[in-house]
Amino acid sequence: MQRACFRLRVDPAHLDEYRARHAAVWPDMLTALKDTGWDNYSLFLADDGWLIGYVEARDDYESAQRRMDLTEVNTRWQAEMSRLFDGLDGAAPDRSFELIPEIFHLEDQLAAIDDTHDDTTRKA
């Protein structure tokens, strides 16, 4: 599993439509996302148009995205949504994500502490 965070800018003139479209995503799109490995997927939209996304890709993000690219419903969804964004230059929205590197994850650091503690206990 790989956690991925990304951002993209929705045209502020289309915020209401973007919110409405995501309040009722097509059922076949939802199913395709789940089937292609997009788990625990969330989008957050600020009033200035910045969209932040978070997904836990079942294996890795690039593989999940490639599988999604092969679905017909994603092709239709991206075509319809593309006009709602700023600065895509003809690219599909889901291929225009700016991935944001993860620098902290609580569970990883807690596990590292537990591993260090276990090693110290075993040596004593």
Side-chain angles (χ1 to χ4, degrees), residues 2-8 38 51-55 57 60-62 65 93-102:
Q2 178 187 2
R3 293 178 299 274
C5 180
F6 59 85
R7 71 179 180 173
L8 191 61
W38 292 67
L51 176 72
I52 302 295
Y54 173 81
V55 63
D60 65 84
Y61 173 76
E62 282 299 321
Q65 191 169 44
D94 68 341
R95 283 301 180 172
S96 301
F97 295 158
E98 176 188 348
L99 290 174
I100 301 169
E102 181 179 38

Side-chain angles (χ1 to χ4, degrees), residues 76-88:
R76 284 188 294 120
W77 181 266
Q78 298 306 318
E80 288 201 20
M81 298 303 291
S82 64
R83 67 180 182 73
L84 304 179
F85 289 90
D86 274 342
L88 295 185

Side-chain angles (χ1 to χ4, degrees), residues 20-21 24 49 67 71 78 90 93 109:
R21 296 293 298 268
R67 285 191 301 273
T71 67
Q78 298 306 318
Q109 290 199 19

